Amino acid sequence: MEEKYGGDARAGPGGGLGPVDVPSARLTKYIVLLCLTKCLKAVGLFESYDLLKAVHIVQFIFILKLGTAFFMVLFQKPFSSGKTITKHQWIKIFKHAVAGCIISLLWFFGLTLCGPLRTLLLFEHSDIVVISLLSVLFTSSGGGPAKTRGAAFFIIAVICLLLFDNDDLMAKMAEHPEGHHDSALTHMLYTAIAFLGVADHKGGVLLLALALCCKVGFHTASRKLSVDVGGPKRLQALSQLVSVFLLCPWVIVLSVTTQSKVESWFSLIVPFTTVIFFVMILDFYMDSICSVKMEVSKCARYGSFPIFISALLFGNFWTHPITDQLRAVNRAAHQEGTEHVLSGGVVVSAVFFILSANILSSPSKRGQKGTLIGYSPEGTPLYHFMGDAFQHSSQSIPRFIKESLKQILEESDSRQIFYFLCLNLLFTFVELFYGVLTNSLGLISDGFHMLFDCSALVMGLFAALMSRWKATRIFSYGYGRIEILSGFINGLFLIVIAFFVFMESVARLIDPPELDTNMLTPVSIGGLIVNLIGICAFSHAHSHGHGTSQGHCHSSDHGHSHHTHGHGDHGHSHGFTGGGMNANMRDTLGSIGVIVSTVLIEQFGWFIADPLCSLFIAVLIFLSVIPLIKDACQVLLLRLPPEYEKELHIALEKIQKIEGLISYRDPHFWRHSANIIAGTIHIQVTSDVLEQRIVQQVTGILKDAGVNNLTIQVEKEAYFQHMSGLSTGFHDVLAMTKQMESMKYCKDGTYIM
Amino acid sequence: MGTIHLFRKPQRSFFGKLLQEFRLVAADRRSWKILLFGAVNVLCTGFLLMWCSSTNSIALTAYTYLTIFDLFSLITCLISYWVMMRKPSPAYSFGFERLEVLAVFASTVLAQLGALFILKESAERFLDQPEIHTGRLLVGTFVALSFNLFTMLSIRNKPFAYVSEAASTSWLQEHVADLSRSVCGIIPGLSSIFLPRMNPFVLIDLAGAFALCITYMLIEINNYFAVDTASAIAIALMTFGTMYPMSVYSGKVLLQTTPPHVIGQLDKLIREVSTLDGVLEVRNEHFWTLGFGSLAGSVHVRIRRDANEQMVLAHVTNRLYTLVSTLTVQIFKDDWIRPALLSGPVASNALNFSDHHIIPMPLLKNVDDRIPVTSTPAKPSSPPPEFSFNTPGKNVSPVILLNTQTRPYGLGLSRGHTPYSSVLGQGLAVPGVGAGQGLRPTFPHVPSRYGNNRTGQPRP
């Protein structure tokens, strides 16, 4: 990354309009060399896969490190040139070597697990690609939609490798025919993968993904050390040397205790040299040269393409006789022709990897994030950068959760909902866990149903939380209305659920399935218990609740997906309708319905009882939701609140009788949220009364009628004259004159004009 | 699902009304076309659902939900025709414009809930992948695609067109715009189609059909049944992406929020209002959109005790009226009752007319703290009358500079009558009448002054 920023800084001031680049002709030879090295690296990796079949992995790494260290010490002369290395730095180099060993161990182990092709696809990503991938995934400002797309491609590619890659050999390997592994280390890794419950090649994919992240972190962390020591090459040479010494005792112990599978080490010299040169030395030097000569992003882009393509080609042709020239070992192994072959999934994922490497390595265009605000006096465009400023102010997620929890627990009704939600979630997870344990698909899918239903509860809780936020410029009345909107959404949710339950039960009514009921009873009884607790909680909440309380309840009386879809539901009620208890009663009825149908099925074998019961529940949900939705709709449509209708009529009549008042127009009264009734009214008075007195009187009357957010416009005849003087539009004038005339006719006698 | 909208008004008596309203809408020729499309849609959806169950493909089900969403959008279109014909009733005093918004909100939320359901189903299917029959998969895809595109392009759906224009860009659109920007770099002619952003509905229809084609291909070639689930998830996520900005936009309208894009203009207007002569502070301003587009609002304006309420009201209304069509302005004064309680001598003194009496009062700070929602800083307010009367020398105090710009001094003094006339009320009948008549001569000045209101306000 440092080199990249350096490169940008160099390009920036020189260029007037675009980044100045080195002429491409001068870069061509580097690019060609880079491509060539990458292809050779692919060859080296295929070679090393063949080698690893014969040689133990630790021995392999040891020989690799030994050879690399030998050549690098020869080339770099780390001891004779440069400044001396302190003791502190030696310790750091030691750590560097340990980390390097672990990563190469993971890498080559992954290679043995999933073959060279997949290893190349997964592991050969440059740091910049992985870093931009991680920044897209874990920070909000990834760098525009293109980067997001790149990250999505990367993930799709990994998923393709995991799911759609039906490698025959890998499935065979997963059976562990040999039953015993070469060493304690590999055995440990195998058991770890087996513990994850995935096949070996999938374990290898995961392992390689992990190793890739480790590698990037390792490179980033070692950058400072390399500057201290005197260049990455010197660090590399020293670190390889140290790791040779590290691995030395292990290799000795290994070679003493186990008998080697290798017949003659002499015949392996040539393949080992090719691997050392292609995989370690050539690649390392080429990378360091290219990172100096070119931008890192360009380097990554040109590097990734040839390596993936050549990996695909070799993957197809490696066992083919054509490549026999390239193969140094195991020439007789033609019978294993199906080993880690190409499959559709691999090709697709290779395409996605190439695309994502291309997108992620392209330099992010910072300028696109700003918005053009104008031009400077010199004529250069000025941009306004918003994203970074916002990013700094956003608080961390744990803190946000902590604060919201605190807010939730502060008030009694939201606390009740929260506890109920926790209870529901607990029930769900017990169900899911038990389902996984007993491998009962019905229980698992019922758990998903519950999770689906809990989302409504979460939304209600969040709305209750938000409704307490302070009013802002945009939400000028406060956030109270969110509760009503969430009630509306909850209503829609229930309708959708009722609809699906209805459809399902109709389908079952036509073709009633056989089902086994042994799991149904405990689940439905559990649901009933959860519901009864809910009833207790809510009756408590409602007795204390005032106008704003909001009941959510949820019954968990789903049967299995193969049984009654008795979703109970989460009733949501506005406090002012007081329907919370009804909703809970309904849930309980639903639970009881499920239990009854279970009993009927168990005792009499009436399988028809199950869909009938579902049908009944669906209709019940639907009928009980309708008033809920109707109320929410009326509030959202700014209807005159029905419960205040009478009082407001009386109040308006009273207003008419105020002394000096001619008439009123545009009376708007609506419920904004549970505790805000807003109103606006225009009042015309004679010119001799005091406006403020009228305002006071009208406010008093309307406050008594329940309106608590009031705006009164008091107009005299003078106002209309002013307006007609100021008025810009013809229609406005017309309307105003009409108003004036009406005023004149209205109180002709007392009118003082 | 199609019946949900019909049942929104559930009472039995409503059915008759509903029929009546329906006849009202059906009288319009344009709605015939919509009804025709709706009928075809129901037929089409029925077939698609049948094919969904025969192919057992959840991706096709997810795509069918888009067709059902189309049905909702047609219903929304009908509702918008109905809204145009309806006048406000006493109960729904703002009219039925918001019904349109509510319909848009409900249909987008329903689409998202359907997508959520699909997500849940596909999570279950990942555990136990059933076999997919590709027989009618491609047929269903193309029937749904062609029908959706035909509906989208041939019916002018005003509310949805507005929302899709006004709502923020969905991630799908963003990606397509980003891609097509590079494509248009190669073929400039395409920019008219793809840029700046595509119609979200057309986009999601095409993208969903594309996902289904891939599914078909992979299942045909390799029997990768998991692709079906994956593409169902993709379609569900795209549905979320497309519908979410729209439901946020319409939901914000329903929540009575100030639309962010007018805040700049509103701020400017309120700043103008707060510099009007006599205005001390603007507070409790609530501006919100009534339907799609028209703004409603109410505002409280605190004015100086000696300012003419009707004059200020007219000016404030006139300024805000350009943006806010349904406006209510409440004018209020502190301590308005006090001068009325004082007797005659004060009234004669009032003719002296001292403009400036500015001493910050702790009492008013309290008032300001109590109501935090003000956009304009509170100006220092009127002190007790003892300071204002008989102390013309106070005019020179430096604090006055705050207000002097708005005050053409001589004009106010040369006019014979007092702004207090309105405050004093019935007690002083003669100046009260004068207020009404004295204004007449000022009218010719008004338009010319209106143009450069910052420098010279017409004073009564």
Side-chain angles (χ1 to χ4, degrees), chain A residues 449 481 672 691 721-722, chain B residues 254 256 309-311 440:
Chain A
H449 274 288
R481 212 160 216 259
H672 178 265
E691 287 99 332
Q721 286 167 348
H722 287 307
Chain B
L254 291 177
Q256 291 193 301
E309 288 192 19
Q310 296 303 313
M311 192 68 186
R440 289 280 155 73

Side-chain angles (χ1 to χ4, degrees), chain A residues 144-146 148-149 163-166 343-345 348 365 368 441 444-446 448-449 452 455 470-479 481-482 485 488-489 492-496 499-500 503 561 567 622 626-627 629-630 633-634 636-640 645 649 659 667-672 680-682 685 687-693 695-696 699 709-728 732 752-753, chain B residues 1 4 7-11 14 49 65 90-96 98-99 102 105-106 109-110 113-114 116-117 120-121 123-124 126-128 174-176 178-179 181 222 224 226-227 230 251-258 260 263 266-267 270 285-288 290 297-300 308-311 313-315 317-318 321 326-333 336-337 340 373 375 422-426 432-433 436-437 439-440 443 446-447 450:
Chain A
T148 320
R149 203 163 51 236
L163 297 183
F164 300 121
D165 181 17
N166 45 3
S343 72
V348 169
K365 295 169 205 142
Q368 289 204 338
L441 205 67
I444 293 174
S445 82
D446 185 49
F448 277 119
H449 274 288
F452 181 63
S455 62
K470 274 225 170 89
T472 59
R473 270 312 301 283
I474 291 182
F475 287 78
S476 59
Y477 287 102
Y479 285 80
R481 212 160 216 259
I482 283 185
L485 201 67
F488 181 69
I489 296 173
L492 291 182
F493 194 92
L494 284 182
I495 285 187
V496 168
F499 174 75
F500 283 127
M503 293 306 278
S561 65
H567 281 266
F622 189 72
I626 282 172
I629 287 213
K630 199 181 138 220
C633 271
Q634 283 183 348
L636 289 175
L637 291 178
L638 303 179
R639 190 193 191 279
L640 191 70
E645 215 166 340
H649 270 299
E659 193 185 340
H668 298 300
F669 301 101
W670 70 96
R671 177 186 288 287
H672 178 265
T680 61
I681 189 166
H682 292 215
V685 294
S687 14
D688 54 347
V689 293
L690 232 64
E691 287 99 332
Q692 294 301 316
R693 175 160 292 148
V695 167
Q696 202 182 33
T699 309
N709 189 320
L710 198 57
T711 308
I712 302 158
Q713 176 165 339
V714 182
E715 297 156 349
K716 290 184 180 174
E717 200 252 349
Y719 163 72
F720 295 106
Q721 286 167 348
H722 287 307
M723 278 312 283
S724 59
L726 290 168
S727 235
T728 43
D732 300 332
I752 319 166
M753 270 292 295
Chain B
M1 265 174 125
I4 290 167
F7 286 153
R8 187 164 284 155
K9 292 170 183 170
Q11 274 117 8
F14 263 123
L49 283 176
Y65 286 175
Y92 294 90
S93 56
F94 284 110
F96 290 87
R98 283 174 87 82
L99 190 59
L102 191 70
F105 181 75
V109 165
L110 281 175
L113 288 176
L116 193 68
F117 185 79
K120 188 209 84 183
E121 285 279 296
E124 279 172 32
F126 260 122
L127 297 175
D128 178 31
E174 222 168 82
H175 282 274
V176 169
D178 191 60
L179 274 181
R181 210 170 286 135
N222 261 332
Y224 286 140
V227 174
K252 275 197 174 158
V253 172
L254 291 177
L255 285 177
Q256 291 193 301
T257 57
T258 316
I263 275 191
L266 270 177
D267 271 344
I270 285 172
E285 63 279 39
H286 301 296
F287 295 104
W288 41 278
L290 198 56
S298 65
V299 69
H300 289 198
N308 184 340
E309 288 192 19
Q310 296 303 313
M311 192 68 186
L313 178 65
H315 276 279
T317 311
N318 187 47
Y321 203 70
T326 312
L327 181 69
T328 312
V329 180
Q330 180 167 345
I331 303 283
F332 71 101
K333 295 176 176 178
W336 58 273
I337 214 146
V373 191
S375 66
S422 55
V423 182
L424 291 171
Q426 294 98 332
V433 175
Q437 292 166 341
L439 286 169
R440 289 280 155 73
F443 274 143
V446 172
Y450 185 47

Side-chain angles (χ1 to χ4, degrees), chain A residues 272-349:
Chain A
F272 263 118
T273 355
T274 51
V275 169
I276 288 166
F277 265 102
F278 289 169
V279 177
M280 306 298 278
I281 294 175
L282 210 56
D283 184 48
F284 178 74
Y285 276 105
M286 202 58 221
D287 270 352
S288 58
I289 288 169
C290 285
S291 64
V292 172
K293 296 288 177 192
M294 294 193 284
E295 284 171 51
V296 176
S297 58
K298 206 172 238 173
C299 191
R301 212 178 324 167
Y302 288 124
S304 62
F305 190 67
I307 201 164
F308 292 146
I309 291 292
S310 56
L312 276 181
L313 287 179
F314 287 130
N316 204 16
F317 293 118
W318 190 251
T319 50
H320 201 269
I322 304 171
T323 53
D324 274 350
Q325 317 301 321
L326 284 169
R327 299 181 59 164
V329 281
N330 290 354
R331 282 171 204 277
H334 278 295
Q335 64 270 24
E336 287 181 272
T338 57
E339 192 172 343
H340 296 303
V341 286
L342 277 179
S343 72
V346 174
V347 174
V348 169
S349 84

